[in-house]
């Protein structure tokens, strides 16, 4: 068995008391602001809310001169084709907005007017996010910059019908009346 090495004892050297007497004291300075970084603002301040002044908002009227802009003819087919392209791009890019606006119908109402049929206000809010980009692209593509857009609420688009097995079977009977005879003979359970 190997022998253990003898343990070394620690020795402490004490400082003479004369060294403690000559300690220089630095003057203390106080700051008026905290030394830490300023915190991130949440955007809402109680003080600003309490001292809020009523500000009068002035609306700026922007006048667009349409006299020098191109006014080329476009067809409803052009509009539908561009709308389908936009929907395909939306389906890849932002599926939520796509699902909200896929039921919108765009129609050419007059020579320089497009009618947008929308099912609900919440869907229109999602459409407003992309409408500027779509109409600017469409105006540049067809070179017609005086197009006006009219929004019309389409209640029929909003109608959601609950389809039961009986309703499906009745639609099939309309296509093939012999199914009614088969139903009378077999007594199908379509509940």
């Amino acid at each position: 068995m190997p022998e253990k090495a003898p343990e070394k004892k620690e020795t402490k050297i004490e400082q003479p008391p004369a060294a403690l007497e000559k300690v220089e004291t630095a003057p203390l300075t106080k700051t008026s602001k905290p030394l830490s970084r300023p915190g991130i603002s949440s955007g809402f301040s109680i003080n600003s809310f309490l001292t809020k002044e009523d500000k009068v908002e002035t609306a700026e009227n922007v006048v667009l001169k349409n006299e020098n802009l191109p006014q080329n003819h476009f067809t409803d087919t052009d509009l539908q084709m561009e709308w389908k392209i936009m929907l395909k791009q939306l389906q890849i890019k932002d599926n939520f907005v796509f699902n909200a606006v896929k039921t919108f119908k765009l129609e050419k109402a007059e020579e320089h007017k497009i009618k947008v049929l929308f099912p609900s206000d919440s869907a229109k809010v999602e459409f407003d996010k992309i409408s500027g980009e779509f109409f600017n692209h469409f105006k540049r593509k067809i070179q017609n910059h005086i197009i006006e857009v009219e929004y019309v609420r389409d209640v029929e688009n909003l109608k959601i019908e609950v389809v039961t097995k009986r309703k499906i079977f009745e639609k099939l009977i309309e296509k093939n009346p012999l199914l009614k005879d088969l139903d009378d003979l077999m007594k199908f359970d379509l509940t």
Side-chain angles (χ1 to χ4, degrees):
M1 235 174 159
E3 293 182 26
K4 290 185 179 178
E7 293 182 19
K8 295 181 181 178
K9 293 185 180 178
E10 294 182 26
T11 57
K12 293 185 180 179
I13 301 173
E14 292 187 22
Q15 294 284 338
L20 293 176
E21 292 176 5
K22 293 185 178 181
V23 176
E24 293 182 26
T25 58
L28 295 175
T29 58
K30 293 187 178 183
T31 61
S32 60
K33 295 181 181 178
L35 296 176
S36 65
R37 294 184 201 153
I40 298 173
S41 174
S42 67
F44 180 78
S45 171
I46 296 173
N47 288 334
S48 66
F49 181 74
L50 293 174
T51 60
K52 181 179 173 182
E53 295 178 12
D54 293 332
K55 295 181 181 178
V56 178
E57 294 183 16
T58 57
E60 294 181 19
N61 292 332
V62 178
V63 178
L64 295 175
K65 295 181 180 179
N66 293 334
E67 51 198 44
N68 295 332
L69 297 175
Q71 303 176 7
N72 292 347
H73 173 74
F74 70 96
T75 62
D76 191 47
T77 308
D78 296 333
L79 179 64
Q80 299 306 324
M81 197 168 67
E82 288 300 315
W83 180 240
K84 286 179 183 175
I85 291 170
M86 179 67 164
L87 285 177
K88 286 180 183 177
Q89 290 173 352
L90 261 180
Q91 189 173 18
I92 295 167
K93 189 170 81 173
D94 192 353
N95 203 17
F96 180 76
V97 176
F98 167 75
N99 287 329
V101 301
K102 69 182 177 183
T103 59
F104 277 56
K105 292 181 183 174
L106 279 67
E107 300 173 349
K108 181 180 177 184
E110 297 172 14
E111 182 59 30
H112 301 291
K113 194 173 203 177
I114 296 175
K115 186 186 290 187
V116 178
L117 303 170
F118 64 95
S120 67
D121 291 330
S122 60
K124 186 180 180 303
V125 168
E126 295 301 322
F127 180 74
D128 288 341
K129 293 178 182 177
I130 61 160
S131 64
E133 177 186 342
F134 172 71
F135 287 121
N136 285 336
H137 169 73
F138 185 68
K139 288 176 182 180
R140 280 193 310 269
K141 180 147 187 171
I142 63 166
Q143 296 182 354
N144 187 338
H145 292 274
I146 62 167
I147 294 176
E148 296 176 7
V149 181
E150 177 186 353
Y151 293 94
V152 178
R153 186 173 190 138
D154 187 16
V155 180
E156 291 182 19
N157 257 352
L158 185 61
K159 185 171 86 174
I160 299 172
E161 183 180 343
V162 177
V163 181
T164 62
K165 292 180 182 179
R166 172 58 70 188
K167 288 184 180 181
I168 294 171
F169 189 73
E170 288 172 359
K171 288 181 182 179
L172 290 173
I173 288 175
E174 290 174 9
K175 293 179 183 177
N176 189 352
L178 291 176
L179 288 174
K180 174 135 177 67
D181 295 337
L182 185 62
D183 181 38
D184 293 340
L185 181 65
M186 301 297 280
K187 306 280 188 223
F188 293 132
D189 183 24
L190 300 171
T191 55

